[in-house]
Amino acid sequence: MIQQEFAYNAKKILESDDNVIGLAVVGSWLTDEIDQFSDLDLILVTEQKISNDKNVMLEYAKKLGNFLSGFTGEHVGEPRLLICLYDDPLLHVDIKFLTLEEFESRIESPVLLIDKGEKLANIIHHTEARFPYPDYQWIEDRFWTWIHYVLLKIGRGEYFEAYDFMGFLRSIVFGPLLHIKNGNLPRGVRKVETTLETSDFEKLKLTIPSYERQSLLQSLRDGVLLYKHLRTELFDSKVNLQINTEEKVMRYFEELENEHR
C-alpha cells in the first residue's frame, strides 16, 4: 500500500536527523484497516519543539515526498498537526509534531518506526493510552437548548442552517453515543455504515432531512427520540436530566409543528 511505502521512506529520511527522537504511526494502520482511501497518520517526536514554528513544520514535511500543500490543524483543535497533501501518488498525510513530554499524553498506542534509545517504548510501557469519551452531563446540559435552536431556524425558514446543525448533532451526540452502545470508540460518525447494528444505523439515517420544513421537523423529532433512547440505555443516575427544559422545548416543538397544519 502507498501509505506503508511513504511511512518507511519517511523513516529512512528522518533516521539521521539528530533532532528526531522517534517516528510513529497511528490511525487505521493500528487496526489493519488501511485501504486505497485511507490517509496516513504520523507522529514525529523531536528533541526541540517544532510545533511552535509552522515554517519548520513545513520544512520537515517537504523532505518526505512530493509535497503539494500543507496547513496546520487549528480548525480541529490541534495546532501541532500539519495536514499535508503529497503527489505521485496523491496521498493525504497528517503529521503531528510532538516533544517527548507531549508524547506521554495519547489516545492510542502507536507503531514505532524510529525510536532512538527506546524512549518512546519506555513511555508507552509506563503510561496508558486514553481515548476521550463524551461527558454525558455535558451533552444533557446542552441538548435541549440545541433542539430549541434548530426549531428557531426552521421556524424562521433558515433551512440550510437547520440542516447543517443536524450534522453537528450527529457528530457530537448521536454518532458517539451509538458507537458506545455498539462497543466502539466514540469517533463521531466515522464508519457508522459498517460498525453499527443495522437497527441503530437505520435510526441514525432518520436524522438526515431533506431541504423541506416537514422533513426537517420530522428528522429533528427522530433525533430527539434517538437521544432519549440512548440516554436511557447509557446514562447512569449521576447524570442530572434537564426535565423542565426538555418539557418546555418539546411544548414549543409541538406548537411549531401545529402552525402549518
Side-chain angles (χ1 to χ4, degrees), residues 170 174-175 177-179 181-182 184 188-208 222 226 229-230:
R170 282 191 294 275
F174 308 140
L177 296 185
L178 282 168
H179 272 312
K181 177 179 180 290
N182 284 263
N184 309 323
V189 293
R190 186 173 185 188
K191 297 188 177 180
V192 292
E193 293 84 358
T194 57
T195 59
L196 297 184
E197 292 181 1
T198 301
S199 60
D200 285 335
F201 181 59
E202 291 302 318
K203 290 174 184 175
L204 183 62
K205 283 169 62 178
L206 291 175
T207 69
I208 303 175
D222 288 328
L226 176 57
H229 170 74
L230 291 167

PDB file of all heavy atoms in Angstrom, residues 170 174-175 177-179 181-182 184 188-208 222 226 229-230:
ATOM      1  N   ARG A 170     -25.356  14.891  14.859  1.00  0.00           N
ATOM      2  CA  ARG A 170     -24.916  13.524  14.550  1.00  0.00           C
ATOM      3  C   ARG A 170     -23.475  13.301  14.974  1.00  0.00           C
ATOM      4  O   ARG A 170     -23.115  12.239  15.501  1.00  0.00           O
ATOM      5  CB  ARG A 170     -25.093  13.220  13.061  1.00  0.00           C
ATOM      6  CG  ARG A 170     -26.521  12.905  12.667  1.00  0.00           C
ATOM      7  CD  ARG A 170     -26.601  12.354  11.247  1.00  0.00           C
ATOM      8  NE  ARG A 170     -26.212  13.347  10.256  1.00  0.00           N
ATOM      9  CZ  ARG A 170     -27.037  14.252   9.749  1.00  0.00           C
ATOM     10  NH1 ARG A 170     -28.296  14.297  10.153  1.00  0.00           N
ATOM     11  NH2 ARG A 170     -26.616  15.108   8.840  1.00  0.00           N
ATOM     12  N   PHE A 174     -25.365  11.936  18.510  1.00  0.00           N
ATOM     13  CA  PHE A 174     -25.914  10.648  18.082  1.00  0.00           C
ATOM     14  C   PHE A 174     -24.828   9.642  17.711  1.00  0.00           C
ATOM     15  O   PHE A 174     -24.874   8.480  18.146  1.00  0.00           O
ATOM     16  CB  PHE A 174     -26.861  10.847  16.891  1.00  0.00           C
ATOM     17  CG  PHE A 174     -27.924  11.890  17.110  1.00  0.00           C
ATOM     18  CD1 PHE A 174     -28.298  12.761  16.095  1.00  0.00           C
ATOM     19  CD2 PHE A 174     -28.565  12.007  18.336  1.00  0.00           C
ATOM     20  CE1 PHE A 174     -29.283  13.719  16.279  1.00  0.00           C
ATOM     21  CE2 PHE A 174     -29.553  12.965  18.551  1.00  0.00           C
ATOM     22  CZ  PHE A 174     -29.911  13.824  17.519  1.00  0.00           C
ATOM     23  N   GLY A 175     -23.870  10.071  16.889  1.00  0.00           N
ATOM     24  CA  GLY A 175     -22.825   9.153  16.449  1.00  0.00           C
ATOM     25  C   GLY A 175     -22.009   8.587  17.604  1.00  0.00           C
ATOM     26  O   GLY A 175     -21.875   7.361  17.746  1.00  0.00           O
ATOM     27  N   LEU A 177     -22.665   8.395  20.835  1.00  0.00           N
ATOM     28  CA  LEU A 177     -23.454   7.566  21.746  1.00  0.00           C
ATOM     29  C   LEU A 177     -23.799   6.216  21.116  1.00  0.00           C
ATOM     30  O   LEU A 177     -23.786   5.183  21.792  1.00  0.00           O
ATOM     31  CB  LEU A 177     -24.721   8.297  22.174  1.00  0.00           C
ATOM     32  CG  LEU A 177     -24.529   9.577  22.995  1.00  0.00           C
ATOM     33  CD1 LEU A 177     -25.881  10.135  23.452  1.00  0.00           C
ATOM     34  CD2 LEU A 177     -23.615   9.352  24.192  1.00  0.00           C
ATOM     35  N   LEU A 178     -24.103   6.216  19.825  1.00  0.00           N
ATOM     36  CA  LEU A 178     -24.375   4.955  19.145  1.00  0.00           C
ATOM     37  C   LEU A 178     -23.120   4.082  19.088  1.00  0.00           C
ATOM     38  O   LEU A 178     -23.204   2.853  19.241  1.00  0.00           O
ATOM     39  CB  LEU A 178     -24.901   5.219  17.731  1.00  0.00           C
ATOM     40  CG  LEU A 178     -26.369   5.637  17.646  1.00  0.00           C
ATOM     41  CD1 LEU A 178     -26.697   6.158  16.254  1.00  0.00           C
ATOM     42  CD2 LEU A 178     -27.288   4.482  18.011  1.00  0.00           C
ATOM     43  N   HIS A 179     -21.972   4.704  18.865  1.00  0.00           N
ATOM     44  CA  HIS A 179     -20.717   3.937  18.874  1.00  0.00           C
ATOM     45  C   HIS A 179     -20.500   3.275  20.238  1.00  0.00           C
ATOM     46  O   HIS A 179     -20.132   2.097  20.315  1.00  0.00           O
ATOM     47  CB  HIS A 179     -19.536   4.844  18.538  1.00  0.00           C
ATOM     48  CG  HIS A 179     -19.257   4.963  17.075  1.00  0.00           C
ATOM     49  ND1 HIS A 179     -19.177   3.883  16.230  1.00  0.00           N
ATOM     50  CD2 HIS A 179     -19.011   6.053  16.296  1.00  0.00           C
ATOM     51  CE1 HIS A 179     -18.905   4.289  15.005  1.00  0.00           C
ATOM     52  NE2 HIS A 179     -18.807   5.599  15.016  1.00  0.00           N
ATOM     53  N   LYS A 181     -22.751   2.490  22.465  1.00  0.00           N
ATOM     54  CA  LYS A 181     -23.750   1.428  22.602  1.00  0.00           C
ATOM     55  C   LYS A 181     -23.305   0.161  21.885  1.00  0.00           C
ATOM     56  O   LYS A 181     -23.575  -0.963  22.332  1.00  0.00           O
ATOM     57  CB  LYS A 181     -25.084   1.899  22.035  1.00  0.00           C
ATOM     58  CG  LYS A 181     -26.194   0.856  22.044  1.00  0.00           C
ATOM     59  CD  LYS A 181     -27.472   1.436  21.484  1.00  0.00           C
ATOM     60  CE  LYS A 181     -28.602   0.407  21.491  1.00  0.00           C
ATOM     61  NZ  LYS A 181     -28.379  -0.654  20.506  1.00  0.00           N
ATOM     62  N   ASN A 182     -22.607   0.328  20.766  1.00  0.00           N
ATOM     63  CA  ASN A 182     -22.174  -0.811  19.961  1.00  0.00           C
ATOM     64  C   ASN A 182     -20.762  -1.288  20.284  1.00  0.00           C
ATOM     65  O   ASN A 182     -20.195  -2.105  19.554  1.00  0.00           O
ATOM     66  CB  ASN A 182     -22.281  -0.467  18.474  1.00  0.00           C
ATOM     67  CG  ASN A 182     -23.710  -0.502  17.971  1.00  0.00           C
ATOM     68  OD1 ASN A 182     -24.151  -1.497  17.412  1.00  0.00           O
ATOM     69  ND2 ASN A 182     -24.444   0.590  18.169  1.00  0.00           N
ATOM     70  N   ASN A 184     -17.913   0.463  20.319  1.00  0.00           N
ATOM     71  CA  ASN A 184     -16.860   1.085  19.509  1.00  0.00           C
ATOM     72  C   ASN A 184     -16.316   2.322  20.201  1.00  0.00           C
ATOM     73  O   ASN A 184     -16.941   2.859  21.118  1.00  0.00           O
ATOM     74  CB  ASN A 184     -17.407   1.504  18.142  1.00  0.00           C
ATOM     75  CG  ASN A 184     -18.142   0.384  17.429  1.00  0.00           C
ATOM     76  OD1 ASN A 184     -17.750  -0.775  17.508  1.00  0.00           O
ATOM     77  ND2 ASN A 184     -19.215   0.730  16.735  1.00  0.00           N
ATOM     78  N   GLY A 188     -17.261  10.144  16.491  1.00  0.00           N
ATOM     79  CA  GLY A 188     -18.251  10.861  15.696  1.00  0.00           C
ATOM     80  C   GLY A 188     -19.119   9.900  14.907  1.00  0.00           C
ATOM     81  O   GLY A 188     -19.690   8.954  15.457  1.00  0.00           O
ATOM     82  N   VAL A 189     -19.218  10.126  13.600  1.00  0.00           N
ATOM     83  CA  VAL A 189     -19.987   9.216  12.742  1.00  0.00           C
ATOM     84  C   VAL A 189     -19.058   8.387  11.855  1.00  0.00           C
ATOM     85  O   VAL A 189     -19.499   7.807  10.859  1.00  0.00           O
ATOM     86  CB  VAL A 189     -21.000   9.994  11.868  1.00  0.00           C
ATOM     87  CG1 VAL A 189     -22.077  10.620  12.730  1.00  0.00           C
ATOM     88  CG2 VAL A 189     -20.297  11.062  11.031  1.00  0.00           C
ATOM     89  N   ARG A 190     -17.793   8.307  12.238  1.00  0.00           N
ATOM     90  CA  ARG A 190     -16.847   7.573  11.406  1.00  0.00           C
ATOM     91  C   ARG A 190     -17.201   6.083  11.349  1.00  0.00           C
ATOM     92  O   ARG A 190     -17.405   5.441  12.369  1.00  0.00           O
ATOM     93  CB  ARG A 190     -15.428   7.750  11.944  1.00  0.00           C
ATOM     94  CG  ARG A 190     -14.380   7.137  11.037  1.00  0.00           C
ATOM     95  CD  ARG A 190     -12.986   7.441  11.469  1.00  0.00           C
ATOM     96  NE  ARG A 190     -12.040   6.926  10.500  1.00  0.00           N
ATOM     97  CZ  ARG A 190     -10.719   6.896  10.671  1.00  0.00           C
ATOM     98  NH1 ARG A 190     -10.201   7.383  11.785  1.00  0.00           N
ATOM     99  NH2 ARG A 190      -9.928   6.407   9.748  1.00  0.00           N
ATOM    100  N   LYS A 191     -17.299   5.575  10.142  1.00  0.00           N
ATOM    101  CA  LYS A 191     -17.544   4.154   9.858  1.00  0.00           C
ATOM    102  C   LYS A 191     -18.834   3.616  10.478  1.00  0.00           C
ATOM    103  O   LYS A 191     -18.948   2.425  10.744  1.00  0.00           O
ATOM    104  CB  LYS A 191     -16.348   3.309  10.296  1.00  0.00           C
ATOM    105  CG  LYS A 191     -15.069   3.636   9.542  1.00  0.00           C
ATOM    106  CD  LYS A 191     -13.939   2.675   9.839  1.00  0.00           C
ATOM    107  CE  LYS A 191     -12.719   3.024   8.992  1.00  0.00           C
ATOM    108  NZ  LYS A 191     -11.581   2.110   9.254  1.00  0.00           N
ATOM    109  N   VAL A 192     -19.810   4.501  10.688  1.00  0.00           N
ATOM    110  CA  VAL A 192     -21.088   4.014  11.211  1.00  0.00           C
ATOM    111  C   VAL A 192     -21.749   3.044  10.240  1.00  0.00           C
ATOM    112  O   VAL A 192     -22.528   2.172  10.642  1.00  0.00           O
ATOM    113  CB  VAL A 192     -22.055   5.185  11.521  1.00  0.00           C
ATOM    114  CG1 VAL A 192     -21.561   6.008  12.695  1.00  0.00           C
ATOM    115  CG2 VAL A 192     -22.259   6.070  10.290  1.00  0.00           C
ATOM    116  N   GLU A 193     -21.413   3.178   8.955  1.00  0.00           N
ATOM    117  CA  GLU A 193     -22.014   2.303   7.949  1.00  0.00           C
ATOM    118  C   GLU A 193     -21.645   0.838   8.156  1.00  0.00           C
ATOM    119  O   GLU A 193     -22.380  -0.065   7.731  1.00  0.00           O
ATOM    120  CB  GLU A 193     -21.578   2.732   6.537  1.00  0.00           C
ATOM    121  CG  GLU A 193     -22.107   4.083   6.093  1.00  0.00           C
ATOM    122  CD  GLU A 193     -21.276   5.264   6.583  1.00  0.00           C
ATOM    123  OE1 GLU A 193     -20.280   5.041   7.311  1.00  0.00           O
ATOM    124  OE2 GLU A 193     -21.604   6.414   6.237  1.00  0.00           O
ATOM    125  N   THR A 194     -20.509   0.588   8.800  1.00  0.00           N
ATOM    126  CA  THR A 194     -20.041  -0.795   8.946  1.00  0.00           C
ATOM    127  C   THR A 194     -19.915  -1.261  10.391  1.00  0.00           C
ATOM    128  O   THR A 194     -19.727  -2.458  10.628  1.00  0.00           O
ATOM    129  CB  THR A 194     -18.663  -0.966   8.264  1.00  0.00           C
ATOM    130  OG1 THR A 194     -17.738  -0.025   8.825  1.00  0.00           O
ATOM    131  CG2 THR A 194     -18.762  -0.734   6.766  1.00  0.00           C
ATOM    132  N   THR A 195     -20.014  -0.343  11.369  1.00  0.00           N
ATOM    133  CA  THR A 195     -19.746  -0.741  12.755  1.00  0.00           C
ATOM    134  C   THR A 195     -20.966  -0.686  13.670  1.00  0.00           C
ATOM    135  O   THR A 195     -20.879  -1.109  14.818  1.00  0.00           O
ATOM    136  CB  THR A 195     -18.637   0.137  13.372  1.00  0.00           C
ATOM    137  OG1 THR A 195     -19.050   1.511  13.339  1.00  0.00           O
ATOM    138  CG2 THR A 195     -17.336  -0.020  12.609  1.00  0.00           C
ATOM    139  N   LEU A 196     -22.090  -0.177  13.174  1.00  0.00           N
ATOM    140  CA  LEU A 196     -23.296  -0.144  13.988  1.00  0.00           C
ATOM    141  C   LEU A 196     -24.218  -1.307  13.628  1.00  0.00           C
ATOM    142  O   LEU A 196     -24.219  -1.779  12.485  1.00  0.00           O
ATOM    143  CB  LEU A 196     -24.068   1.163  13.782  1.00  0.00           C
ATOM    144  CG  LEU A 196     -23.389   2.474  14.172  1.00  0.00           C
ATOM    145  CD1 LEU A 196     -24.365   3.627  13.991  1.00  0.00           C
ATOM    146  CD2 LEU A 196     -22.846   2.441  15.582  1.00  0.00           C
ATOM    147  N   GLU A 197     -25.011  -1.736  14.605  1.00  0.00           N
ATOM    148  CA  GLU A 197     -26.068  -2.691  14.303  1.00  0.00           C
ATOM    149  C   GLU A 197     -27.023  -2.064  13.288  1.00  0.00           C
ATOM    150  O   GLU A 197     -27.228  -0.853  13.275  1.00  0.00           O
ATOM    151  CB  GLU A 197     -26.839  -3.047  15.574  1.00  0.00           C
ATOM    152  CG  GLU A 197     -26.031  -3.837  16.590  1.00  0.00           C
ATOM    153  CD  GLU A 197     -26.860  -4.179  17.817  1.00  0.00           C
ATOM    154  OE1 GLU A 197     -28.056  -3.800  17.846  1.00  0.00           O
ATOM    155  OE2 GLU A 197     -26.310  -4.802  18.744  1.00  0.00           O
ATOM    156  N   THR A 198     -27.608  -2.893  12.451  1.00  0.00           N
ATOM    157  CA  THR A 198     -28.465  -2.393  11.378  1.00  0.00           C
ATOM    158  C   THR A 198     -29.583  -1.503  11.909  1.00  0.00           C
ATOM    159  O   THR A 198     -29.864  -0.436  11.358  1.00  0.00           O
ATOM    160  CB  THR A 198     -29.073  -3.563  10.589  1.00  0.00           C
ATOM    161  OG1 THR A 198     -28.017  -4.357  10.039  1.00  0.00           O
ATOM    162  CG2 THR A 198     -29.956  -3.057   9.462  1.00  0.00           C
ATOM    163  N   SER A 199     -30.214  -1.912  12.999  1.00  0.00           N
ATOM    164  CA  SER A 199     -31.324  -1.120  13.548  1.00  0.00           C
ATOM    165  C   SER A 199     -30.854   0.237  14.026  1.00  0.00           C
ATOM    166  O   SER A 199     -31.541   1.252  13.842  1.00  0.00           O
ATOM    167  CB  SER A 199     -31.995  -1.880  14.686  1.00  0.00           C
ATOM    168  OG  SER A 199     -31.070  -2.148  15.737  1.00  0.00           O
ATOM    169  N   ASP A 200     -29.671   0.291  14.635  1.00  0.00           N
ATOM    170  CA  ASP A 200     -29.124   1.570  15.092  1.00  0.00           C
ATOM    171  C   ASP A 200     -28.768   2.459  13.918  1.00  0.00           C
ATOM    172  O   ASP A 200     -28.997   3.679  13.946  1.00  0.00           O
ATOM    173  CB  ASP A 200     -27.884   1.329  15.960  1.00  0.00           C
ATOM    174  CG  ASP A 200     -28.235   0.826  17.344  1.00  0.00           C
ATOM    175  OD1 ASP A 200     -29.356   1.097  17.798  1.00  0.00           O
ATOM    176  OD2 ASP A 200     -27.395   0.155  17.968  1.00  0.00           O
ATOM    177  N   PHE A 201     -28.199   1.871  12.881  1.00  0.00           N
ATOM    178  CA  PHE A 201     -27.833   2.649  11.697  1.00  0.00           C
ATOM    179  C   PHE A 201     -29.075   3.233  11.023  1.00  0.00           C
ATOM    180  O   PHE A 201     -29.067   4.390  10.584  1.00  0.00           O
ATOM    181  CB  PHE A 201     -27.055   1.780  10.713  1.00  0.00           C
ATOM    182  CG  PHE A 201     -26.605   2.503   9.480  1.00  0.00           C
ATOM    183  CD1 PHE A 201     -25.787   3.616   9.568  1.00  0.00           C
ATOM    184  CD2 PHE A 201     -27.012   2.075   8.222  1.00  0.00           C
ATOM    185  CE1 PHE A 201     -25.379   4.293   8.433  1.00  0.00           C
ATOM    186  CE2 PHE A 201     -26.605   2.748   7.078  1.00  0.00           C
ATOM    187  CZ  PHE A 201     -25.794   3.855   7.184  1.00  0.00           C
ATOM    188  N   GLU A 202     -30.142   2.452  10.970  1.00  0.00           N
ATOM    189  CA  GLU A 202     -31.378   2.939  10.365  1.00  0.00           C
ATOM    190  C   GLU A 202     -31.952   4.100  11.167  1.00  0.00           C
ATOM    191  O   GLU A 202     -32.490   5.054  10.596  1.00  0.00           O
ATOM    192  CB  GLU A 202     -32.389   1.809  10.243  1.00  0.00           C
ATOM    193  CG  GLU A 202     -32.010   0.737   9.228  1.00  0.00           C
ATOM    194  CD  GLU A 202     -31.816   1.297   7.832  1.00  0.00           C
ATOM    195  OE1 GLU A 202     -32.636   2.152   7.423  1.00  0.00           O
ATOM    196  OE2 GLU A 202     -30.856   0.895   7.150  1.00  0.00           O
ATOM    197  N   LYS A 203     -31.852   4.044  12.489  1.00  0.00           N
ATOM    198  CA  LYS A 203     -32.325   5.149  13.327  1.00  0.00           C
ATOM    199  C   LYS A 203     -31.495   6.405  13.083  1.00  0.00           C
ATOM    200  O   LYS A 203     -32.022   7.523  13.076  1.00  0.00           O
ATOM    201  CB  LYS A 203     -32.262   4.751  14.796  1.00  0.00           C
ATOM    202  CG  LYS A 203     -33.283   3.696  15.199  1.00  0.00           C
ATOM    203  CD  LYS A 203     -33.066   3.241  16.635  1.00  0.00           C
ATOM    204  CE  LYS A 203     -34.028   2.120  17.006  1.00  0.00           C
ATOM    205  NZ  LYS A 203     -33.750   1.576  18.361  1.00  0.00           N
ATOM    206  N   LEU A 204     -30.188   6.233  12.902  1.00  0.00           N
ATOM    207  CA  LEU A 204     -29.329   7.383  12.622  1.00  0.00           C
ATOM    208  C   LEU A 204     -29.682   8.002  11.274  1.00  0.00           C
ATOM    209  O   LEU A 204     -29.700   9.231  11.129  1.00  0.00           O
ATOM    210  CB  LEU A 204     -27.860   6.954  12.652  1.00  0.00           C
ATOM    211  CG  LEU A 204     -26.832   8.065  12.446  1.00  0.00           C
ATOM    212  CD1 LEU A 204     -26.917   9.103  13.560  1.00  0.00           C
ATOM    213  CD2 LEU A 204     -25.418   7.482  12.383  1.00  0.00           C
ATOM    214  N   LYS A 205     -29.977   7.189  10.296  1.00  0.00           N
ATOM    215  CA  LYS A 205     -30.338   7.695   8.967  1.00  0.00           C
ATOM    216  C   LYS A 205     -31.607   8.551   9.012  1.00  0.00           C
ATOM    217  O   LYS A 205     -31.778   9.465   8.203  1.00  0.00           O
ATOM    218  CB  LYS A 205     -30.531   6.526   7.994  1.00  0.00           C
ATOM    219  CG  LYS A 205     -29.221   5.921   7.509  1.00  0.00           C
ATOM    220  CD  LYS A 205     -29.456   4.616   6.776  1.00  0.00           C
ATOM    221  CE  LYS A 205     -30.290   4.799   5.545  1.00  0.00           C
ATOM    222  NZ  LYS A 205     -30.479   3.509   4.804  1.00  0.00           N
ATOM    223  N   LEU A 206     -32.474   8.274   9.966  1.00  0.00           N
ATOM    224  CA  LEU A 206     -33.709   9.055  10.082  1.00  0.00           C
ATOM    225  C   LEU A 206     -33.443  10.504  10.467  1.00  0.00           C
ATOM    226  O   LEU A 206     -34.317  11.361  10.302  1.00  0.00           O
ATOM    227  CB  LEU A 206     -34.640   8.421  11.119  1.00  0.00           C
ATOM    228  CG  LEU A 206     -35.259   7.074  10.753  1.00  0.00           C
ATOM    229  CD1 LEU A 206     -36.059   6.527  11.915  1.00  0.00           C
ATOM    230  CD2 LEU A 206     -36.124   7.177   9.501  1.00  0.00           C
ATOM    231  N   THR A 207     -32.245  10.793  10.967  1.00  0.00           N
ATOM    232  CA  THR A 207     -31.904  12.170  11.345  1.00  0.00           C
ATOM    233  C   THR A 207     -31.350  12.969  10.171  1.00  0.00           C
ATOM    234  O   THR A 207     -30.901  14.097  10.353  1.00  0.00           O
ATOM    235  CB  THR A 207     -30.881  12.190  12.501  1.00  0.00           C
ATOM    236  OG1 THR A 207     -29.605  11.704  12.031  1.00  0.00           O
ATOM    237  CG2 THR A 207     -31.349  11.325  13.664  1.00  0.00           C
ATOM    238  N   ILE A 208     -31.377  12.402   8.974  1.00  0.00           N
ATOM    239  CA  ILE A 208     -30.925  13.114   7.776  1.00  0.00           C
ATOM    240  C   ILE A 208     -32.151  13.662   7.051  1.00  0.00           C
ATOM    241  O   ILE A 208     -32.903  12.910   6.445  1.00  0.00           O
ATOM    242  CB  ILE A 208     -30.131  12.193   6.839  1.00  0.00           C
ATOM    243  CG1 ILE A 208     -28.940  11.571   7.565  1.00  0.00           C
ATOM    244  CG2 ILE A 208     -29.651  12.971   5.616  1.00  0.00           C
ATOM    245  CD1 ILE A 208     -28.177  10.548   6.743  1.00  0.00           C
ATOM    246  N   ASP A 222     -37.147  12.628  15.218  1.00  0.00           N
ATOM    247  CA  ASP A 222     -36.493  11.312  15.250  1.00  0.00           C
ATOM    248  C   ASP A 222     -35.183  11.383  16.028  1.00  0.00           C
ATOM    249  O   ASP A 222     -34.811  10.441  16.733  1.00  0.00           O
ATOM    250  CB  ASP A 222     -36.235  10.814  13.830  1.00  0.00           C
ATOM    251  CG  ASP A 222     -37.521  10.390  13.123  1.00  0.00           C
ATOM    252  OD1 ASP A 222     -38.436   9.910  13.819  1.00  0.00           O
ATOM    253  OD2 ASP A 222     -37.594  10.532  11.894  1.00  0.00           O
ATOM    254  N   LEU A 226     -34.221   9.274  19.356  1.00  0.00           N
ATOM    255  CA  LEU A 226     -32.983   8.507  19.411  1.00  0.00           C
ATOM    256  C   LEU A 226     -32.162   8.887  20.634  1.00  0.00           C
ATOM    257  O   LEU A 226     -31.640   8.013  21.351  1.00  0.00           O
ATOM    258  CB  LEU A 226     -32.171   8.753  18.131  1.00  0.00           C
ATOM    259  CG  LEU A 226     -30.791   8.087  18.058  1.00  0.00           C
ATOM    260  CD1 LEU A 226     -30.885   6.577  18.223  1.00  0.00           C
ATOM    261  CD2 LEU A 226     -30.103   8.449  16.735  1.00  0.00           C
ATOM    262  N   HIS A 229     -33.688   7.480  23.814  1.00  0.00           N
ATOM    263  CA  HIS A 229     -33.437   6.036  23.891  1.00  0.00           C
ATOM    264  C   HIS A 229     -32.005   5.766  24.353  1.00  0.00           C
ATOM    265  O   HIS A 229     -31.778   4.946  25.253  1.00  0.00           O
ATOM    266  CB  HIS A 229     -33.687   5.398  22.526  1.00  0.00           C
ATOM    267  CG  HIS A 229     -33.226   3.987  22.432  1.00  0.00           C
ATOM    268  ND1 HIS A 229     -33.894   2.939  23.027  1.00  0.00           N
ATOM    269  CD2 HIS A 229     -32.144   3.439  21.820  1.00  0.00           C
ATOM    270  CE1 HIS A 229     -33.246   1.815  22.789  1.00  0.00           C
ATOM    271  NE2 HIS A 229     -32.191   2.084  22.059  1.00  0.00           N
ATOM    272  N   LEU A 230     -31.057   6.477  23.759  1.00  0.00           N
ATOM    273  CA  LEU A 230     -29.648   6.278  24.125  1.00  0.00           C
ATOM    274  C   LEU A 230     -29.381   6.764  25.545  1.00  0.00           C
ATOM    275  O   LEU A 230     -28.595   6.159  26.281  1.00  0.00           O
ATOM    276  CB  LEU A 230     -28.745   7.024  23.130  1.00  0.00           C
ATOM    277  CG  LEU A 230     -28.721   6.440  21.717  1.00  0.00           C
ATOM    278  CD1 LEU A 230     -28.056   7.419  20.749  1.00  0.00           C
ATOM    279  CD2 LEU A 230     -27.980   5.107  21.696  1.00  0.00           C
TER     280      LEU A 230
END
